[in-house]
Amino acid sequence: MEARIYRPSKSAMTSGRGNTKAWVLEFVKPGAHRSADPVMGWTSIDDTSGQIRLEFDTQDEAVEYAQREGMTFRVEESRERKRLVKTYSENFAFDRKQPWTH
């Protein structure tokens, strides 16, 4: 069974960084067969392991778990966000690159 280990990014809908600290292990099942129920029209899948998400505090814990269970896995490194620190006084700096307008 193949797994993917990654750190989730923040939601585009919020400015907060909640739920981005833990590492997630998800099972990847590329050949899962989806079918439609003939009566209700609901979509079903023959393998539900793709719905399982395990959370770990560190990347090492997730890798250790995958190795212990004999899974093949890939680790997707997360890119840290560049934080641009500015102060209010920089709006009025003499060497400002863009002209200040009202």
Side-chain angles (χ1 to χ4, degrees):
M1 185 170 293
E2 186 179 348
R4 177 182 133 191
I5 299 172
Y6 67 98
R7 185 183 232 169
S9 60
K10 78 174 196 67
S11 171
M13 298 300 187
T14 63
S15 61
R17 297 188 34 100
N19 298 331
T20 61
K21 304 283 189 248
W23 285 84
V24 176
L25 183 139
E26 282 184 343
F27 297 105
V28 178
K29 190 71 171 182
H33 176 62
R34 294 183 181 267
S35 61
D37 183 73
V39 177
M40 298 297 288
W42 294 339
T43 303
S44 63
I45 192 165
D46 60 353
D47 184 22
T48 58
S49 64
Q51 299 172 355
I52 298 173
R53 291 180 52 159
L54 302 175
E55 292 188 0
F56 297 92
D57 292 332
T58 64
Q59 176 185 357
D60 295 332
E61 289 177 5
V63 168
E64 182 181 320
Y65 174 80
Q67 289 174 345
R68 185 175 62 233
E69 297 299 320
M71 298 178 199
T72 58
F73 62 92
R74 69 177 187 267
V75 178
E76 296 176 2
E77 295 293 331
S78 62
R79 293 181 293 173
E80 290 299 319
R81 186 172 107 177
K82 292 182 191 174
R83 186 166 166 93
L84 183 60
V85 180
K86 293 173 68 174
T87 61
Y88 179 71
S89 63
E90 289 180 13
N91 290 332
F92 308 101
F94 180 73
D95 58 347
R96 185 177 166 93
K97 291 186 177 39
Q98 297 175 344
W100 189 82
T101 60
H102 292 282

